[in-house]
Amino acid sequence: AGEAQVCQEQEHVGDGDHDGGDDEPEIVRRSGARYRGQVDERGKAHGHGTQRWPNGDVYKGDWVADAMTGEGAFVAANGTSYTGRWEANVQQGYGTYTASDGGRYKGEWVNGQMHGKGEYTWPDGAVYIGQFKEGKRTGRGRIAWESGVAYEGQWLNDQEHGAGVFEFQDGQRAYGEWLHGQQLPARSGAGDGGDDGVAASALASFEMEPGSRSYVGPASWDAVPAGGKYRSAGTCANRCAETCVVT
């Protein structure tokens, strides 16, 4: 989520009362934005008020010394929105962000970015719960798809990175290590993932369509004669086609 850009240069129009309602003062910014609400003795936005920008963006909430600070809701003209804590015009603390495509993040913010513990839900039903850093999934987290497949482990910049485990619909698990979204080959002598697990080599990562990352499929594969390739129906972790080729 981007920061709300606020031009605080202003001129005042209308003194009004400070008791609320239509009699509250209005501030017209040089940018064309208009603020109506409570002000301090210097005529700065302070307390509760609403600001509207020429492009259709709207913020309604708390202000301190002419800056969005406290609890407030920002709705952008492009359909995105944020409701939660603010400090000096940026998201800071706990809040909820809704993307224009319907995706939603609930969690901690630092300096206008998703940072700390949070939960992100995509429009297709996939849900990630875990750590974020500077707006990206980084640290430990778990993502689950509506298909019943899930990945839990380490992340870096929105990609699986480090130790992790895939959980399949039937309860089996495949353990492994990832580097920037790609699973590393199983080490010699690698064991299985426990009594109810499967060998880490049963999980494959490979390139499919442009922009794709990894594939989650069954523990066994049907051989295809050409080129030592294998093909099997499964679930692509990046929500690509259901049938993928492992190289």
Side-chain angles (χ1 to χ4, degrees):
E3 298 178 5
Q5 300 299 315
V6 183
C7 177
Q8 303 298 27
E9 297 181 13
Q10 64 187 44
E11 59 177 312
H12 299 277
V13 293
D15 292 331
D17 298 327
H18 294 194
D19 297 329
D22 293 336
D23 293 333
E24 286 185 327
E26 182 181 57
I27 299 172
V28 178
R29 314 287 188 186
R30 291 182 182 177
S31 65
R34 290 177 175 267
Y35 168 87
R36 182 179 291 276
Q38 298 174 319
V39 298
D40 61 16
E41 63 278 4
R42 300 173 300 166
K44 303 288 187 180
H46 191 93
H48 193 81
T50 300
Q51 180 156 306
R52 302 177 186 276
W53 284 262
N55 67 348
D57 294 349
V58 179
Y59 171 82
K60 183 175 183 179
D62 297 330
W63 296 75
V64 174
D66 225 23
M68 298 183 293
T69 299
E71 291 286 336
F74 182 90
V75 179
N78 64 5
T80 63
S81 65
Y82 171 84
T83 301
R85 297 290 301 178
W86 296 78
E87 185 174 332
N89 297 326
V90 298
Q91 301 96 323
Q92 182 82 11
Y94 186 90
T96 299
Y97 166 77
T98 302
S100 57
D101 65 359
R104 176 170 293 188
Y105 170 82
K106 299 186 295 182
E108 298 173 335
W109 294 75
V110 174
N111 294 328
Q113 294 183 309
M114 298 176 287
H115 191 99
K117 187 176 182 179
E119 175 181 325
Y120 197 100
T121 303
W122 283 267
D124 65 3
V127 180
Y128 170 87
I129 300 176
Q131 295 173 313
F132 288 79
K133 182 178 181 181
E134 298 178 350
K136 296 183 181 295
R137 286 165 280 164
T138 296
R140 186 167 185 84
R142 184 178 191 273
I143 187 168
W145 292 270
E146 285 200 324
S147 65
V149 175
Y151 167 84
E152 182 171 355
Q154 296 296 318
W155 295 78
L156 179 66
N157 295 331
D158 284 339
Q159 293 182 321
E160 302 92 336
H161 187 85
V165 55
F166 268 100
E167 304 170 5
F168 299 97
Q169 297 95 327
D170 60 3
Q172 293 190 99
R173 297 182 177 186
Y175 296 80
E177 294 185 7
W178 280 257
L179 181 67
H180 302 300
Q182 296 294 324
Q183 189 191 10
L184 298 176
R187 291 191 294 268
S188 177
D192 59 29
D195 293 340
D196 60 348
V198 296
S201 59
L203 189 65
S205 293
F206 56 96
E207 294 190 3
M208 300 169 293
E209 300 297 330
S212 64
R213 290 207 312 271
S214 56
Y215 169 82
V216 180
S220 61
W221 309 88
D222 293 326
V224 176
K229 296 183 178 180
Y230 297 82
R231 181 183 298 271
S232 180
T235 301
C236 296
N238 66 334
R239 299 177 294 282
C240 62
E242 284 295 313
T243 300
C244 306
V245 176
V246 181
T247 58

